[in-house]
Amino acid sequence: MKPLILGAVIGAGSNAASLHHFLAQAQAAGCATHSLGTAVAPSRLIDGIAHMQPSIVALSYRNTPEIAAQLFDEIRALIRERGLTDPRFILGGSPPVLKVARASGMFERTFDGTESPAEIDAYLRAFIHSEERRTAPAQTLIARIDQQAPYPLLRHRFGLPSLRDTIAGARRIAEAGVL
């Protein structure tokens, strides 16, 4: 199943172009996406999170930093009030808003609009990879190939002189996630 990214322009914001561009790039990278639209109130955002249970929530806000801080506090309070597990949040916004966002500790990544498509794609691929590692491995060859795309499916024989060393080495390889 594709990871879901839920997007919203929060508060009184109406500039959805950058959010929709990000969501389109996320779809191209292999994510499912859903936008709640513009001027999304915190309560509506929380309803969307509770209903859709996204892997990540992509927010956009470009107005005043003071209002942004209030919105972030309200969103956090509603998450606690509803008993939701803290979702992963990212934010696109103006530099003053991003300064407040970073100080809040709520966002795993912020974007100011100067990032190249390659930088955003690298973030999305790392995000997708981290989501795939949290799910059980596919059980058929075709499903494994699909799950690992665009990377090749690798198979390797491994053995050391003793069984104990082989088991320890195999454990290290498995934990590294390289094969």
Side-chain angles (χ1 to χ4, degrees):
M1 185 164 81
K2 293 179 178 182
L4 172 64
I5 298 178
L6 177 64
V9 180
I10 57 172
S14 61
N15 182 3
S18 58
L19 175 67
H20 288 209
H21 180 74
F22 176 82
L23 294 177
Q25 194 168 350
Q27 278 186 322
C31 295
T33 64
H34 181 83
S35 175
L36 294 175
T38 60
V40 176
S43 59
R44 184 164 165 245
L45 174 67
I46 299 306
D47 288 343
I49 292 169
H51 176 70
M52 294 181 208
Q53 299 182 347
S55 300
I56 203 158
V57 179
L59 301 179
S60 178
Y61 184 81
R62 294 196 161 308
N63 297 337
T64 62
E66 296 79 16
I67 300 297
Q70 293 172 5
L71 287 168
F72 302 155
D73 289 344
E74 187 175 349
I75 290 166
R76 277 198 152 146
L78 288 169
I79 287 170
R80 283 191 301 273
E81 183 180 300
R82 295 274 303 263
L84 299 174
T85 303
D86 269 337
R88 296 169 65 179
F89 284 99
I90 60 174
L91 176 73
S94 63
V97 168
L98 298 186
K99 185 176 180 183
V100 170
R102 288 186 203 105
S104 78
M106 184 173 159
F107 299 92
E108 74 174 44
R109 177 71 196 263
T110 59
F111 300 91
D112 65 11
T114 62
E115 297 81 9
S116 70
E119 287 176 274
I120 295 170
D121 192 54
Y123 168 79
L124 289 166
R125 294 216 179 273
F127 160 69
I128 291 167
H129 182 69
S130 72
E131 287 297 298
E132 287 173 347
R133 290 186 73 171
R134 291 174 18 171
T135 62
Q139 298 301 307
T140 67
L141 179 61
I142 299 301
R144 285 181 186 164
I145 291 169
D146 289 342
Q147 190 177 56
Q148 296 299 317
Y151 304 105
L153 182 64
L154 299 177
R155 186 172 178 171
H156 182 71
R157 288 186 171 85
F158 175 78
L160 293 172
S162 76
L163 180 59
R164 179 182 306 189
D165 291 343
T166 299
I167 291 170
R171 180 174 289 119
R172 286 188 62 206
I173 292 170
E175 289 170 352
V178 295
L179 290 177

